[in-house]
Amino acid sequence: MRYPSLNVSGERRTDMTRTLETERLVLRPWREEDAEELYRNAQDPHIGPIAGWPPHTSVENSRDVIRDVLSAPETYAVVLKETDLPVGSVGLLFGEAANLAIADDEAEVGYWIGLPHWGRGLIPEAVREIERHAFEDLGLRALWCSCDDTNAQSKRVMEKCGFAYHHTEEDVPCELIGDVRTEHFTYLPKERWVR
């Protein structure tokens, strides 16, 4: 299986058929036929707004999000092996797609999971696999992660996955929601992940 890598000109190449696997999960590219399950989880007002996006309004809205947002390189549907259904999303953001200025050999980790699946350790499991993939397969030097001041669940995921507090930014605009937030940024260098 080929993974994304940087070629000599610094451009990222991606195999859009890649899948990653953990004990309970398959991380694979989103498909348009996932729209109904995506809507089932993303319509909940407890999910999107804390992650910085509005609740989905219809299956068609979810299909558009799959086409326009979730089809980005290194963005994965978090699929339960026991049901073969997507229950959330995890991925890596590079360059200008990230929520902060990062180096070419760094990425920002983003994730969410549907409310019925909270408390089962599924997102930490997915994030740990994304960390492994980022450092071992992609050769990245460091990962960043951030969350809104009110997102206690995301803070716990970052702590469980080895991210350490780096800094806080006040009055960060959240364009999709139309508000401003206090964002906490965390950092995980490869050297600390290896330990």
Side-chain angles (χ1 to χ4, degrees), residues 148 170-174 178-182:
D148 174 61
E170 304 280 344
D171 300 321
V172 177
C174 182
D179 65 9
V180 293
R181 299 173 174 217
T182 298

Side-chain angles (χ1 to χ4, degrees), residues 38-71:
L38 175 57
Y39 175 63
R40 186 181 327 279
N41 287 295
Q43 68 177 324
D44 190 316
H46 295 96
I47 304 299
I50 62 171
W53 42 269
H56 291 197
T57 56
S58 67
V59 172
E60 190 53 45
N61 175 218
S62 291
R63 188 171 287 110
D64 289 342
V65 169
I66 290 170
R67 276 191 226 116
D68 300 338
V69 179
L70 298 177
S71 63

